[in-house]
Amino acid sequence: MKLDPQIEWVLALARKARTPPVWQLSPADARRQYARTAAVLDFRDTPVWATHELTVPTAAGGCAARLVVPREAGPGERLALLVYFHGGGFV
């Protein structure tokens, strides 16, 4: 599957930047690196077709989730799925 053009651009910039991987930095240095790089990216919000608030059943009850649908699928088309697990601030 082809990557989104914005993601291809971000990955190309990351290769050119030659900055150390975030996991090799102290938390303070990682925050500074993020602040510098986020300002350069300057992404605009991308409109989405639909969002749905969900609850995923777990052994401990339920976990809140959000389904974001970027666009309406065409007849017989299946859209890709990306699952993002937020760790709550690993730094």
Side-chain angles (χ1 to χ4, degrees):
M1 174 180 285
K2 186 171 170 36
L3 287 177
D4 179 272
Q6 281 186 325
I7 297 302
E8 287 178 343
W9 179 72
V10 168
L11 293 174
L13 283 178
R15 284 190 296 274
K16 289 179 183 179
R18 300 178 192 253
T19 56
V22 70
W23 62 86
Q24 292 180 356
L25 301 172
S26 70
D29 288 340
R31 288 185 188 100
R32 277 190 289 277
Q33 179 173 301
Y34 174 80
R36 282 192 310 269
T37 56
V40 170
L41 297 177
D42 190 29
F43 281 132
R44 303 290 189 268
D45 286 343
T46 302
V48 297
W49 184 68
T51 58
H52 305 280
E53 302 299 322
L54 310 170
T55 301
V56 178
T58 68
C63 180
R66 178 176 296 132
L67 173 62
V68 178
V69 185
R71 62 180 176 78
E72 187 173 14
E77 178 185 21
R78 292 179 147 192
L79 298 177
L81 175 68
L82 170 68
V83 178
Y84 177 71
F85 295 95
H86 187 286
F90 290 117
V91 263

